[in-house]
Amino acid sequence: MGQSIMIFLPVNMCSLGLFPAPLPHGELTLYEFNNEMVPGMVYESPPSAFRDQLVDIQEVMIPLETVKAPGRFELSSKAAFIHHREGILKRCLNAWHQMGLSGLLEEMSSSEEEVPPLLVRFSSWSLAVCRLASAFHGSLFPHLTMKSEDLTAEFSQALDWAGCSLRAFAWHPHTNKFALALLDDSIRVYTSGSPTIPTLKHRLQKDVASMAWKPLCASILAVACQSCVLVWHVDPTSLSTRPSSGCAQILSHPGHSPVTSVCWSPSGSVLLSASPVDTAMLVWDVPTESCVPLQRVGGGGVTFLSWSPDGSKVLAATPSAVFRVWESQTWTCERWPTLQGRCQTGCWSPDGSRLLFAVKGESVIYSLSFTVCNGQMQGCVGGSQSATVVADVSETIFETESGDIRIGGEIHSMAWDPSGERLAVILKGNPESESNLTLIAVFRTRNSPIFELLPCGFIHGKEGETPQLVQFNQCFKKGALLSTLWSSGRVSHIPFYFVNAQFPRFNPETSTVLAGNANISISTPTLFTES
């Protein structure tokens, strides 16, 4: 089912010009309170009188020099072993598993002594046709000519996946536990209040692009790797810092690599995976290690997946100027072509009724609304015919005491907090401009009864730091908690304090919190509530 996308500019569109000026040099955003970003100096630390009363969410610092990218010598190591030529049948099966149809045909065409001449000629002819078709396909989708590592770097939600010590991040949906993927292909699991930091390593755990904890489960982590999806079973009560590789399930499928995105259904019953070279999105039944490919023509692959919190829909971005939204009941989809580039990132409102997304190379946020379909209508996605521009984040000049600062430009990634009231957006600065900063813009949002997007403030790192990835904690009860991966190897946690406009979640009489470098003591405040 296809749909065309028409873009128009609403009168009340938000822009960066409405934001307060960024903080002066040497100051960081410690937290948000009463709709304002509260600053503090880099060297500030919480008063000792409050430290025992505060909730500690661990800040991590892993400099680039402490981790190294692993060498890739798997192929060259074959020279150390005595060559043993396997049978033609086993070689063909291995070639099919590793390279698909082209690998099988190449193996058969090069085995003249073991394959009948007619079959050799047929394989050679078929291989030539496949290469010609591949060359034509590659001209339509240039990303197919890229190396595996370059594909992962291009389509990762991390800003500088190849050059930063931190590559992926995932909060557990029900507790203060997060997984952190590093440049050396290891994953560390940090749990609040626990001194044990398990480190996950596996021979197939290479080029980690995405991670996702299984909902309604304490110990299962899905990892998108170069050649497969690894599903780790990490016992939360274990004191071991190095779980065995036997704790990981290997989910692989021919032609489905590298894997750049994984996501679980909100019920935890289904796992999805995507690869930019595979036009099929795979629906995995993890216990049986089997999958069902959801194949669609066009797009050249699938780069990014996002499951709506209500479980009804899935965003599937592609490397070309089109994205799809699937409904998860009968797995039908609706298709939206964009005007210029591919869908770079997207996020859902808590009720699944609205999708915010950004297009690569553009500096606007689009909104796409979805209606609730009649329960008798099978295969209904319910998307609107057009997308609306709700924010313009084009480059804007701010006058500060230290000079003019340019902020704004292309959007790299976005995150919407579980309450639906804060939206964090990573804005890529212009690399040719020294005064154009890469930072995080935070918006105040409301989805009901009408959609609103209002400016809140900017978050930037220490001198020389740029944000790599942002994600909200899923179970923070005092507003919203934003975790940010920085280019220096630092992971910070910045709290936003507010009362949920629809579901107040904490007692404002007295509350204290420490998150990252933030120290807040609140006593009977006038909290922001959207009218």
Side-chain angles (χ1 to χ4, degrees), residues 14-15 44 64 66 95 105 118 131 213 229 242 278 282 358 376 403 409 442 457 469 503:
C14 185
S15 68
E44 287 186 353
L64 184 61
T66 63
L105 295 174
L118 182 62
R131 286 174 174 171
W213 289 97
V229 176
R242 184 68 183 272
D278 189 356
L282 300 187
Q376 298 179 350
V442 178
L469 191 66
F503 307 102

Side-chain angles (χ1 to χ4, degrees), residues 149-435:
E149 188 173 351
D150 294 335
L151 281 171
T152 304
E154 174 68 20
F155 299 113
S156 169
Q157 290 293 290
L159 183 63
D160 183 15
W161 179 88
C164 182
S165 60
L166 311 179
R167 289 190 157 178
F169 181 90
W171 269 113
H172 194 281
H174 312 302
T175 186
N176 286 332
K177 176 169 67 176
F178 61 85
L180 184 63
L182 308 182
L183 178 66
D184 62 0
D185 290 335
S186 67
I187 296 174
R188 299 182 187 181
V189 179
Y190 296 85
T191 304
S192 178
S194 173
T196 304
I197 305 175
T199 300
L200 312 180
K201 300 202 76 171
H202 193 281
R203 61 182 180 85
L204 296 179
Q205 189 168 281
K206 303 171 185 175
D207 297 345
V208 175
S210 172
M211 300 184 295
W213 289 97
K214 182 178 179 179
L216 309 179
C217 179
S219 61
I220 297 181
L221 175 70
V223 182
C225 304
Q226 181 190 66
S227 60
C228 65
V229 176
L230 289 179
V231 180
W232 284 95
H233 299 256
V234 185
D235 185 356
T237 63
S238 174
L239 298 179
S240 172
T241 58
R242 184 68 183 272
S244 166
S245 60
C247 297
Q249 286 179 271
I250 302 172
L251 307 180
S252 63
H253 190 269
H256 194 73
S257 67
V259 183
T260 55
S261 186
V262 290
C263 67
W264 292 93
S265 64
S267 66
S269 59
V270 173
L271 175 67
L272 299 180
S273 67
S275 171
V277 302
D278 189 356
T279 55
M281 178 178 69
L282 300 187
V283 183
W284 290 97
D285 179 19
V286 175
T288 62
E289 299 183 359
S290 60
C291 68
V292 176
L294 297 179
Q295 190 86 35
R296 285 295 182 273
V297 177
V302 183
T303 60
F304 173 71
L305 300 172
S306 178
W307 209 311
S308 64
D310 67 337
S312 63
K313 293 174 285 293
V314 176
L315 164 67
T318 73
S320 60
V322 64
F323 67 90
R324 297 181 178 88
V325 175
W326 295 79
E327 55 84 20
S328 60
Q329 186 176 5
T330 60
W331 291 110
T332 59
C333 68
E334 292 182 354
R335 177 178 181 270
W336 281 269
T338 61
L339 295 180
Q340 295 182 1
R342 60 178 170 86
C343 177
Q344 170 66 26
T345 186
C347 52
W348 293 92
S349 63
D351 61 358
S353 65
R354 187 173 302 276
L355 171 67
L356 299 182
F357 67 95
V359 175
K360 186 173 178 60
E362 296 187 7
S363 55
V364 293
I365 299 175
Y366 295 107
S367 172
L368 192 61
S369 60
F370 293 82
T371 58
V372 178
C373 297
N374 189 326
Q376 298 179 350
M377 296 177 61
Q378 296 294 320
C380 174
V381 177
S384 59
Q385 292 285 337
S386 60
T388 305
V389 176
V390 294
D392 181 0
V393 293
S394 300
E395 184 176 289
T396 303
I397 300 176
F398 290 88
E399 296 182 358
T400 66
E401 296 179 357
S402 56
D404 292 348
I405 297 178
R406 298 176 182 270
I407 294 176
E410 185 178 344
I411 297 171
H412 185 79
S413 61
M414 298 191 296
W416 208 343
D417 91 285
S419 72
E421 299 206 19
R422 294 296 182 272
L423 176 73
V425 181
I426 293 184
L427 304 179
K428 292 176 63 177
N430 185 353
E432 299 179 357
S433 174
E434 294 183 358
S435 61

